[in-house]
Amino acid sequence: MRKILLIGAGKSTSALIKYLKEKSNEEKLQLIIGDLSLANAEKFAGDHPNTKAIQLDIFKAEERQTAIKEADIVISMLPARFHIEVAKDCVNFNKNLVTASYVSDEMQALDEEVKQKGLTFMNEIGVDPGIDHMSAMQVIDRIRAKGGKMLLFESFTGGLVAPESDTNLWNYKFTWNPRNVVVAGQGGAAVFMQEGKYKYIPYHRLFRRTEFLEVENYGRFEGLANRDSLKYRSVYGLDSIKTLYRGTLRRVGFSKAWNMFVQLGMTDDTYTLQGSEEMSYRDFVNSFLPYSPTDSVELKTRYNLKIDQDDVMWEKLLELDIFNPHKKIGIKNATPAQALQKILEEKWTLAPNDKDMIVMYHKFGYEIEGKTNQIDSTMVHLGEDQTYTAMAKTVGLPVGIATLKILNKEIITTGVLRPITKEIYDPILKELAENGIVFKEKEREYLGYNEDNVVG
């Protein structure tokens, strides 16, 4: 039996573990699931004969190294900042590695050593990053093979709630790490290119500059810019492209409502609130508003945010029960962002039978033989329930497929990799399609960047 060590058994591993269990007899696999919580690892392992649960604290070097030494390949599903210690051990013990996270500077620094040892460290092989890379590069390479020149590339991904489970005014529920949603966009201006010009959106304007997109059978969405759209310009070979824009999808109206939290300062994660453990939700809101001996917290909120009483924005705030004087934040030394996350998780957590939805939308503008063209490519995938989510499937399946293809020497390129070459993306996209993760392409007239679609 070939041993696969999976480190970290979080929510996004449900579909990955299911996939590897189903392949284990045919592929002669033993799956070792290592997690800080043995009970959590055992829950995922279940009673499957080819799985084994172990308690694994990655900060205990000997424990971590023993587990890695015994494996044939390692999958790290830890938070991104913890991959590096695992990666260094994989280099030392000659083990291939797979992660769904962005390539960090520390990981990239291992590239030469990884190549010298003939190892494959596959990164960015989840949904975003991951499926977005593969589906984009497949089309870009196809255009280039026909002699085409890329003019525009826009790419949007959203982890959303499925229409049948969309039960709140925000049209949103958490389908991945809530913290990442609350602090999204912070840490510098969003930067991208439109028609050959560099564009910047500072954080305080980010949620009022959105692009509208229509997805067949699923309606209208809004896209807001990712922090750095240009980081893949060279990776994708798009150094001379005129328009390059990567963004996040939400239902129309979400960003305008979220901007209320930004304007009040509730998404700030740089300082702590005094007495946050005993602070009520109402006191939390009031702490961002001016003192008044006569006006209520509600009145001050409406006045400061310029919300009319019949505005849906007000209904959205009321729905969160954010003015409740009895509910407590209950977190010691909480930042505003942590306090807001606590309030939102109460209302936006998926119910057991809720379904989530991944939506991806690419636009490719190109010139061939003097004529301009555009391809729009969309993918929508719905989850099954709170456990087997679309998020877990679109993250976990690419990780599982890549792991087996490395193990079976179908992917043999060495170094610190992203899934951007034909050797990698073709077979993985083919198997994803067999599992219902399919892109639909539509040819349309190339209009360049359409300024009529931008608001704010």
Side-chain angles (χ1 to χ4, degrees):
M1 300 292 276
R2 300 178 297 171
K3 293 182 178 178
I4 297 175
L5 173 64
L6 169 62
I7 305 177
K11 286 180 182 177
S12 61
T13 59
S14 59
L16 168 62
I17 291 168
K18 183 182 178 186
Y19 173 82
L20 293 174
K21 282 180 179 178
E22 288 170 354
K23 293 283 185 180
S24 62
N25 285 330
E26 169 195 342
E27 294 282 352
K28 297 184 172 54
L29 306 173
Q30 184 186 27
L31 176 61
I32 297 121
I33 303 168
D35 195 80
L36 187 59
S37 163
L38 180 59
N40 193 47
E42 287 173 338
K43 180 186 80 177
F44 276 105
D47 56 3
H48 195 283
N50 296 335
T51 59
K52 178 184 174 185
I54 61 169
Q55 185 171 28
L56 181 54
D57 183 345
I58 61 129
F59 297 110
K60 293 181 178 174
E62 191 177 340
E63 197 174 293
R64 185 185 70 235
Q65 288 164 3
T66 299
I68 290 171
K69 220 183 293 186
E70 292 174 358
D72 291 296
I73 191 167
V74 177
I75 302 171
S76 178
M77 295 297 280
L78 295 164
R81 63 189 181 278
F82 299 140
H83 291 319
I84 193 63
E85 295 306 319
V86 173
K88 287 174 181 174
D89 289 341
C90 286
V91 170
N92 291 337
F93 300 123
N94 296 305
K95 307 297 179 183
N96 293 319
L97 173 67
V98 180
T99 88
S101 300
Y102 288 106
V103 174
S104 65
D105 292 342
E106 294 87 352
M107 185 73 79
Q108 189 60 49
L110 297 175
D111 182 54
E112 201 52 48
E113 203 174 350
V114 171
K115 283 177 180 170
Q116 285 172 5
K117 293 210 166 189
L119 298 172
T120 300
F121 279 20
M122 181 67 71
N123 300 272
E124 303 190 15
I125 188 71
V127 59
D128 177 5
I131 294 176
D132 58 343
H133 292 333
M134 295 186 287
S135 54
M137 287 307 301
Q138 188 177 56
V139 176
I140 291 168
D141 284 346
R142 196 169 77 221
I143 290 167
R144 286 176 178 147
K146 293 177 183 174
K149 177 190 174 186
M150 289 293 298
L151 303 173
L152 172 148
F153 176 58
E154 294 188 5
S155 178
F156 303 87
T157 305
L160 300 153
V161 62
E164 57 263 53
S165 302
D166 189 346
T167 56
N168 66 49
L169 292 172
W170 293 74
N171 308 117
Y172 187 78
K173 293 180 184 178
F174 290 125
T175 61
W176 65 310
N177 188 339
R179 175 177 166 76
N180 291 351
V181 176
V182 173
V183 300
Q186 297 183 40
V191 55
F192 50 99
M193 287 198 77
Q194 285 170 340
E195 294 303 307
K197 304 289 186 185
Y198 286 94
K199 296 285 187 178
Y200 306 90
I201 307 177
Y203 178 66
H204 75 280
R205 291 288 298 149
L206 183 63
F207 296 92
R208 297 308 297 127
R209 289 268 296 274
T210 56
E211 181 171 338
F212 292 149
L213 301 143
E214 193 85 26
V215 179
E216 191 177 358
N217 300 324
Y218 290 93
R220 217 170 185 217
F221 298 86
E222 60 186 22
L224 55 140
N226 285 356
R227 198 162 63 198
D228 184 3
S229 290
L230 305 182
K231 67 191 289 187
Y232 290 105
R233 189 163 43 174
S234 295
V235 172
Y236 285 12
L238 298 174
D239 292 289
S240 60
I241 201 163
K242 286 185 175 182
T243 297
L244 182 57
Y245 184 105
R246 286 168 55 89
T248 299
L249 288 178
R250 294 286 182 262
R251 283 294 188 185
V252 174
F254 177 90
S255 298
K256 184 179 180 183
W258 186 265
N259 195 52
M260 294 189 290
F261 299 140
V262 175
Q263 296 310 311
L264 286 174
M266 290 180 176
T267 61
D268 199 311
D269 201 43
T270 62
Y271 65 92
T272 57
L273 300 163
Q274 295 295 318
S276 59
E277 197 168 7
E278 291 301 315
M279 181 183 279
S280 72
Y281 289 8
R282 187 179 187 83
D283 287 338
F284 171 64
V285 177
N286 197 28
S287 65
F288 296 98
L289 299 168
Y291 171 77
S292 169
T294 55
D295 293 346
S296 67
V297 178
E298 289 88 345
L299 190 62
K300 289 191 293 182
T301 303
R302 282 212 308 269
Y303 179 76
N304 272 266
L305 294 174
K306 298 180 175 59
I307 305 172
D308 293 329
Q309 200 162 356
D310 59 354
D311 192 329
V312 71
M313 294 295 136
W314 185 244
E315 297 301 319
K316 287 181 179 185
L317 289 178
L318 293 179
E319 186 181 71
L320 297 174
D321 203 17
I322 203 165
F323 300 108
N324 193 311
H326 306 296
K327 290 180 179 175
K328 306 286 188 192
I329 299 299
I331 304 169
K332 196 172 182 181
N333 298 322
T335 65
Q338 289 170 329
L340 178 61
Q341 180 182 328
K342 162 72 189 305
I343 292 168
L344 297 178
E345 281 187 285
E346 192 176 284
K347 296 293 183 179
W348 289 358
T349 297
L350 290 174
N353 294 316
D354 273 351
K355 295 181 180 181
D356 71 325
M357 174 172 74
I358 293 289
V359 182
M360 196 171 286
Y361 196 126
H362 299 312
K363 295 182 187 179
F364 306 89
Y366 63 100
E367 184 181 339
I368 190 163
E369 295 178 353
K371 293 181 181 177
T372 54
N373 304 274
Q374 183 167 318
I375 296 170
D376 285 11
S377 176
T378 57
M379 183 273 287
V380 179
H381 192 75
L382 272 61
E384 297 172 31
D385 54 31
Q386 186 189 49
T387 302
Y388 293 100
T389 61
M391 181 67 75
K393 191 171 178 182
T394 53
V395 171
L397 277 185
V399 169
I401 295 166
T403 300
L404 287 191
K405 294 203 176 297
I406 294 167
L407 203 52
N408 292 333
K409 296 186 167 47
E410 292 172 51
I411 294 174
I412 56 172
T413 305
T414 60
V416 174
L417 306 178
R418 299 176 178 92
I420 56 170
T421 59
K422 193 176 176 66
E423 172 210 16
I424 298 167
Y425 65 64
D426 262 358
I428 296 178
L429 287 173
K430 183 174 181 289
E431 191 167 341
L432 287 174
E434 291 165 1
N435 283 276
I437 298 169
V438 180
F439 282 81
K440 294 180 180 178
E441 292 184 14
K442 185 183 282 187
E443 294 269 356
R444 55 174 292 191
E445 181 189 0
Y446 175 67
L447 299 172
Y449 177 70
N450 185 358
E451 298 226 354
D452 293 338
N453 281 343
V454 178
V455 298

